[in-house]
C-alpha cells in the first residue's frame, strides 16, 4: 500500500470520525436551543394573555358595577364617588367614567366640563363593547389610551399595559390582538400581520418559525383576545454559537489526537518491513528453545527453536506480530535463513553430546513455496556435526496449500532424513484425506485444543478426534502448550507420545538448554 494514500485516508477517516459527532452535537444544541426559545416565547405569550385577561376582567366588573348602580345622573356626586372607588380598587384601570356621544363627560378623575373628545369608535367587539385604540387625553399627552365603552360607561387603560411586562430582552415583540377582525390592539416591537393569521382555538396556543423569528400565539378562553410573543432567532444563534465554541475546539483537539494516534499506528505498520530489514542487518534476532518431553519417561528428546526480536531500545516484539508482516512482505525467507544460521552456530556442540536430540525449526508457508529454505536446511543438515535426524521441520497446514511445490520440498527433506511435523493442526481447513497425500512424521496438537482438556468446552472432544486421526495416519504426536499435570495425564493415557509446555519448561537460551539437558539426562539415567 502506498504511504501517501494511507496517510490521506487516515486523516480523512479521523476527521470524519470527529466531525460527525461534533456536527451532531451542534445540531442537538441547536435543536435544544430552539426548543428552549420556543418555550420562552410561549411563556411570554401566555404571560401577556393572563395579564390581558385580568385587565378585561377588571374592566368588565368595573363597568358592570356602574351599570348595576342605575344612576339617573351618571355624573352625580354619588356616581363619581363610586367611580373613584372602582378606580382605586382596580390596579390596571387608569380611569373609569361616563361617555356621552364621543366625549368623556365625567370620570373617576372628576367632571370634564363639556367633555373630553375620545374620537370615533374603531371596533365593536363581539361582546358589544365599543373599542377606541388610540385615544390621547389632555391629562397625559405623552401616552395614548385604550377606551372600552359599554352601556354609557368606559374604562380607560394605558395602551401598552397588556404588553408592558418586564423582560430582560429589549428586542422581544409582544402584542395583543382582536381575533374577530385580526387587528393588533397593543404592541411592542415589530409584529408581522401574518402572525395573526395563525389563529389557535380559544384556550389554545401555537408556535412556529417565521424567517428570523420564533413566534408563539395564545388565545384567551374568556375574552376575544389573542396574544403574540416573537423572539428574534439571533438568541438561538447565540446559543448554538456558544455550544459550538465549546465543542469545536474540543473536537479539533480530539481529531488531531485521533489522527496522530491512527497515523502513528499506521506508520508503525508501514514502517515494519523497513525496520525488519534493518533488524536482520543488525542481527537483532535470536533464538530460544522449548524442550519437547517424552510423556512416558520425562526425557527431553528435542526442542523447538522459537525466534525472538529485541529492538535496540530493549523492547521485545512478539513473533505473532512480526512473522505475519514478514510473511506478507516477502521477508520471511530471510528470517528463516537467519534462524537456520543461528541453529547451525548454536546447536553443533549439543548434537555432539546428545546425538539423538533434535531441534525443530518453524517454516512458513512462503518457505515451502520455493525450494530455497529446503536447500538451506539440507545444507544445515550436512554442516551440523549431527545429522539429518537431528532436525525436524514444522510446517503449518497453510504451508501445505501450495501442494505441488510443498510436496516436492517435503519429499526432498524427508529423503535426506529430516523429519517433518505438521504444526497448529486442526486450526486450518486440511482434511484427513488431503493430509494423507503428504509424507509426515509428527503431528503437533495445537495449544487451543490442549486448553480444552478437562473443560466443558464443546471442542474438548476435538482433541480425541485429532488423536485418532494421527494414529490412523501413523504420525507421532507432540502436544503443545501443556500447562497442567491433568492435561499431561490425559494426553499420556490416550497415547500421545510427546509434549511441550510450561508444565515442563519455558523456551530458554541454548546455554540453559544444554545445562538442563545434562542434568535431566543424568537424572533419568540414575
Ligand atoms: P507455535 O509454533 O505454535 O509456537 C508455540 C508457541 O506457544 C510459542 O510462542 C511458545 O512460546 C508458546 N508456548 C509454549 N508452551 C506454552 C505454554 O505452556 N503456554 C503458553 N501460553 N504458551 C506456550 P511464541 O514463541 O510466541 O511463538 C508464536 C508463534 O510464532 C509460533 O507458534 C510460530 O507460529 C511463530 N514462530 C515462532 N518462531 C518462529 C520461527 O522461527 N519461524 C517462523 N516461521 N515462525 C515462528
Ligand atoms: Ca511451531
Ligand atoms: Ca502451534
Amino acid at each position: 500500500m502506498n504511504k501517501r494514500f494511507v496517510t490521506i485516508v487516515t486523516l480523512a477517516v479521523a476527521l470524519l470520525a470527529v466531525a460527525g459527532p461534533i456536527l451532531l452535537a451542534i445540531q442537538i444544541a441547536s435543536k435544544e436551543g430552539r426548543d428552549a426559545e420556543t418555550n420562552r416565547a410561549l411563556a411570554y405569550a401566555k404571560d401577556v394573555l393572563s395579564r390581558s385577561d385580568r385587565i378585561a376582567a377588571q374592566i368588565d366588573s368595573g363597568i358592570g358595577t356602574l351599570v348595576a348602580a342605575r344612576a339617573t345622573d351618571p355624573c352625580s356626586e354619588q356616581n363619581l364617588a363610586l367611580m373613584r372607588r372602582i378606580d382605586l380598587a382596580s390596579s390596571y384601570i387608569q380611569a373609569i367614567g361616563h361617555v356621552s356621544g364621543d366625549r368623556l363627560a365625567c370620570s373617576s378623575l372628576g367632571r370634564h366640563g363639556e367633555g373630553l373628545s375620545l374620537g370615533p369608535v374603531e371596533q365593536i367587539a363581539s361582546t358589544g363593547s365599543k373599542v377606541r385604540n388610540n385615544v390621547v387625553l389632555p391629562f397625559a399627552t405623552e401616552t395614548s389610551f385604550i377606551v372600552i365603552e359599554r352601556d354609557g360607561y368606559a374604562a380607560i387603560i394605558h395602551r401598552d399595559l397588556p404588553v408592558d411586562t418586564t423582560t430582560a430582552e429589549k428586542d422581544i415583540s409582544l402584542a395583543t390582538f382582536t381575533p374577530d377582525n385580526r387587528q393588533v390592539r397593543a404592541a411592542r416591537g415589530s409584529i408581522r400581520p401574518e402572525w395573526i393569521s395563525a389563529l389557535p382555538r380559544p384556550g389554545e396556543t401555537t408556535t412556529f418559525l417565521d424567517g428570523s423569528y420564533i413566534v408563539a400565539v395564545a388565545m384567551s378562553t374568556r375574552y376575544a383576545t389573542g396574544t403574540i410573543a416573537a423572539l428574534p432567532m439571533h438568541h438561538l444563534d447565540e446559543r448554538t454559537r456558544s455550544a459550538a465554541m465549546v465543542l469545536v475546539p474540543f473536537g479539533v483537539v480530539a481529531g488531531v489526537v485521533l489522527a496522530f494516534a491512527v497515523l502513528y499506528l499506521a506508520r508503525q505498520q508501514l514502517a515494519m518491513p523497513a525496520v525488519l530489514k534493518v533488524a536482520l542487518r543488525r542481527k537483532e534476532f535470536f533464538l530460544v528453545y522449548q524442550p519437547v518431553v517424552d510423556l512416558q519417561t520425562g526425557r527431553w528428546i528435542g526442542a523447538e527453536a522459537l525466534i525472538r526480536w529485541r529492538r535496540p531500545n530493549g523492547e521485545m516484539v512478539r513473533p505473532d506480530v512480526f512473522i505475519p508482516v514478514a510473511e506478507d512482505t516477502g521477508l520471511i525467507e530471510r528470517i528463516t535463513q537467519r534462524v537456520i544460521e543461528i541453529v547451525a552456530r548454536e546447536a553443533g556442540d549439543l548434537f555432539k553430546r546428545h546425538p539423538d536430540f533434535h531441534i525443530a525449526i518453524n517454516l512458513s508457508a512462503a518457505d515451502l513455496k520455493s525450494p530455497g529454505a529446503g536447500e538451506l536446511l539440507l545444507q544445515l543438515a550436512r554442516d551440523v556435526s549431527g545429522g539429518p535426524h537431528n532436525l525436524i521441520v514444522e510446517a503449518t497446514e497453510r504451508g501445505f496449500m501450495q501442494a505441488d511445490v510443498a510436496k516436492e520440498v517435503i519429499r526432498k527433506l524427508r529423503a535426506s532424513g529430516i523429519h517433518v511435523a505438521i504444526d497448529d493442526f486442526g486450526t486450518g481447513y486440511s482434511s484427513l484425506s488431503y493430509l494423507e497425500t503428504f509424507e509426515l512424521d509428527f503431528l503437533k496438537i495445537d495449544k487451543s485444543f490442549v486448553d480444552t482438556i478437562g473443560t466443558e468446552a464443546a471442542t474438548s472432544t476435538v482433541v480425541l478426534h485429532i488423536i485418532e486421526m494421527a494414529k490412523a495416519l501413523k504420525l507421532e504426536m507432540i502436544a503443545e502448550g501443556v500447562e497442567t499435570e491433568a492435561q499431561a495425564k490425559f494426553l499420556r493415557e490416550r497415547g500421545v507420545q510427546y509434549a511441550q509446555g510450561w508444565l515442563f519448561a519455558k523456551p530458554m537460551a541454548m546455554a540453559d538448554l544444554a545445562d538442563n539437558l545434562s542434568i535431566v539426562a543424568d537424572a533419568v539415567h540414575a
Side-chain angles (χ1 to χ4, degrees), residues 23 34 52 85 91 164 221 236 274 311 318 344 356 408 416 452 481:
L23 290 180
R34 189 157 49 207
S52 160
R85 279 205 301 279
S91 51
D164 191 20
T221 328
L236 199 61
R311 305 280 302 271
R318 294 165 48 106
D356 295 331
E408 181 57 20
S416 79
T452 66

Side-chain angles (χ1 to χ4, degrees), residues 5 29 100 105 117 130 142 168 200 256 260 268 296 441 504:
F5 176 74
S100 170
S117 169
K130 298 169 185 170
E142 307 284 278
V256 168
F260 270 102
Q268 267 204 333
Q296 292 296 334
D441 303 285
F504 311 106

Side-chain angles (χ1 to χ4, degrees), residues 290 304 307-308 319-320 362 364 423-424 447 480 483 502:
Q290 185 176 39
E304 178 181 2
I307 196 165
R308 293 292 177 263
D320 310 355
N362 287 287
S364 281
D423 200 357
D424 298 345
K447 179 175 188 301
E480 280 184 338
E483 291 182 348
W502 296 351

